Amino acid sequence: MTEYIFDLLKLILPAALVLYGMYSLVNNYLTKEYQKRILELRMKNSEVVLPIRLQAYERVCLLLERITPSNLLVRVSSAGQSAAEYQRVLLAEIREEFNHNVSQQMYMSDQAWQMVKRSKEEVVTLINRVYHELPENAKGTDLAKRVLENILATEKEPTGSAISFLKQEINQVF
């Protein structure tokens, strides 16, 4: 009986080793093929996503440029408005610009989007702070003048650091 088991092992063991070797080869081949296909898919994906990401960064830079106080005040006229009316118009314009571009956050880093939000809040805070410093009967032109004076005094646009950050981040892609 022992001899029979020994003969059986002589037959089964080489067959098991061959099967294991074949399994290992097939498994390695399939794993490499899977990785290759994933890489190909990522490459195709990047061909599609990269232009969309670039467009998102462009749009967000445009948003920041449009809400930069010096540009915003030139674009949105204060003619004939009280300071209170002009403040409401400016804040509505900022909100509209921001809401129009909020979906672009999908294509940029969380840190970049946080910088954009912070810049928007700094512009809103600046406008509100200057408005509350004005006398009650002030005109829209007074608000515009004081906001610009404030920016000149600090020598810093509230959106400048976010724009620089976005440029740096997109330059890392290239």
Side-chain angles (χ1 to χ4, degrees):
M1 174 95 166
T2 311
E3 195 173 302
Y4 173 73
I5 294 174
F6 186 69
D7 287 339
L8 191 60
L9 280 176
K10 281 183 173 174
L11 290 173
I12 293 176
L13 193 58
L17 288 173
V18 168
L19 277 175
Y20 178 75
M22 288 179 64
Y23 168 79
S24 191
L25 285 173
V26 169
N27 190 35
N28 285 342
Y29 173 77
L30 291 176
T31 301
K32 286 181 182 177
E33 280 298 308
Y34 176 75
Q35 290 172 346
K36 185 176 158 184
R37 291 195 187 245
I38 292 291
L39 184 61
E40 288 172 359
L41 184 62
R42 284 186 180 162
M43 294 294 285
K44 282 189 178 193
N45 235 359
S46 75
E47 289 174 14
V48 172
V49 173
L50 186 60
I52 294 171
R53 281 191 72 200
L54 283 173
Q55 185 181 32
Y57 278 85
E58 289 172 1
R59 286 184 62 181
V60 171
C61 279
L62 181 60
L63 156 72
L64 291 169
E65 286 294 341
R66 289 178 62 84
I67 68 170
T68 296
S70 56
N71 296 334
L72 179 66
L73 296 172
V74 170
R75 197 176 75 256
V76 180
S77 174
S78 64
Q81 295 178 340
S82 69
E85 292 168 337
Y86 193 46
Q87 177 212 25
R88 280 191 293 278
V89 169
L90 291 173
L91 296 181
E93 181 73 16
I94 292 167
R95 230 180 347 267
E96 183 180 322
E97 287 286 341
F98 184 79
N99 290 339
H100 182 71
N101 290 289
V102 75
S103 65
Q104 303 310 311
Q105 68 182 297
M106 296 298 297
Y107 302 105
M108 55 185 46
S109 71
D110 288 337
Q111 188 178 9
W113 186 249
Q114 291 304 318
M115 294 279 294
V116 171
K117 286 182 8 184
R118 190 172 330 140
S119 290
K120 179 198 87 144
E121 290 305 319
E122 286 179 22
V123 173
V124 168
T125 301
L126 172 64
I127 292 169
N128 286 334
R129 185 174 42 79
V130 170
Y131 167 73
H132 290 295
E133 292 172 355
L134 292 173
E136 198 171 303
N137 61 346
K139 298 181 179 185
T141 52
D142 298 329
L143 177 60
K145 180 181 173 189
R146 288 272 180 87
V147 167
L148 290 175
E149 287 172 351
N150 213 291
I151 290 170
L152 288 173
T154 61
E155 297 180 6
K156 178 185 166 229
E157 291 278 7
T159 56
S161 59
I163 291 170
S164 293
F165 185 85
L166 291 177
K167 287 179 181 178
Q168 286 175 337
E169 191 166 273
I170 203 64
N171 281 334
Q172 290 175 359
V173 173
F174 295 104

